[in-house]
Amino acid sequence: MSVLALSPVSASVYGVLNVAALTALVTGVFDDVPQGTAFPYVWYVVDEENARGMGRGGMRQVNLRVHAVSSYEGQKELHTIMSKVIQLLEDTALTITGYQAAGEVVYRETVAPFQSMIDEVQVRESVAQFTIWAEPS
């Protein structure tokens, strides 16, 4: 039977990001943003793929997308927040309950900021993508 690594990885990512170095820049770090949350904030999403190859085993590839969301009219605030996110996550060895990290967090890319509407407020959003590998311990 397969067990998803999503919840334990999400908890580990939250522990890495929910520190004073980042929370001094944002109103919060969320995997589920409460309605009415003030800007700027960080929101992250994880999804998972089976990375075991042709054999047996439980190796998981977890794809992490971290969103910085800001109502600031320029990109400076997004760049400051995203720089801190990358600094905190890139090449970090996560502690994942029930799993063993298979290597460190790999930073993939940051997509160009884009505009959207959230709670009738025009915001700018930047997204960084990371990869995490984990196998059951």
Side-chain angles (χ1 to χ4, degrees):
M1 180 172 79
S2 175
V3 177
L4 293 176
L6 294 176
S7 290
V9 169
S10 183
S12 182
V13 167
Y14 180 79
V16 170
L17 294 179
N18 192 38
V19 296
L22 182 57
T23 59
L25 303 173
V26 297
T27 61
V29 174
F30 306 97
D31 65 353
D32 186 16
V33 183
Q35 180 115 13
T37 298
F39 302 103
Y41 60 79
V42 167
W43 167 58
Y44 66 94
V45 180
V46 292
D47 65 62
E48 178 177 315
E49 300 176 37
N50 188 343
R52 69 184 174 112
M54 297 293 287
R56 294 180 147 281
M59 178 70 78
R60 300 291 184 243
Q61 176 179 315
V62 179
N63 303 303
L64 168 64
R65 290 180 313 282
V66 180
H67 301 246
V69 183
S70 170
S71 59
Y72 181 77
E73 291 189 12
Q75 296 182 28
K76 181 179 179 181
E77 187 171 66
L78 285 177
H79 292 166
T80 301
I81 294 166
M82 200 51 76
S83 291
K84 184 54 66 178
V85 165
I86 294 166
Q87 180 185 17
L88 290 169
L89 283 170
E90 186 175 25
D91 299 328
T92 297
L94 296 178
T95 301
I96 306 167
T97 302
Y99 286 80
Q100 178 177 340
E104 298 172 337
V105 177
V106 175
Y107 166 65
R108 296 290 183 195
E109 69 175 335
T110 300
V111 298
F114 56 92
Q115 294 182 356
S116 62
M117 295 290 285
I118 298 177
D119 293 337
E120 299 181 21
V121 176
Q122 182 155 357
V123 298
R124 286 171 177 68
E125 189 170 348
S126 184
V127 182
Q129 298 180 16
F130 302 85
T131 303
I132 300 160
W133 290 274
E135 54 187 332
S137 53

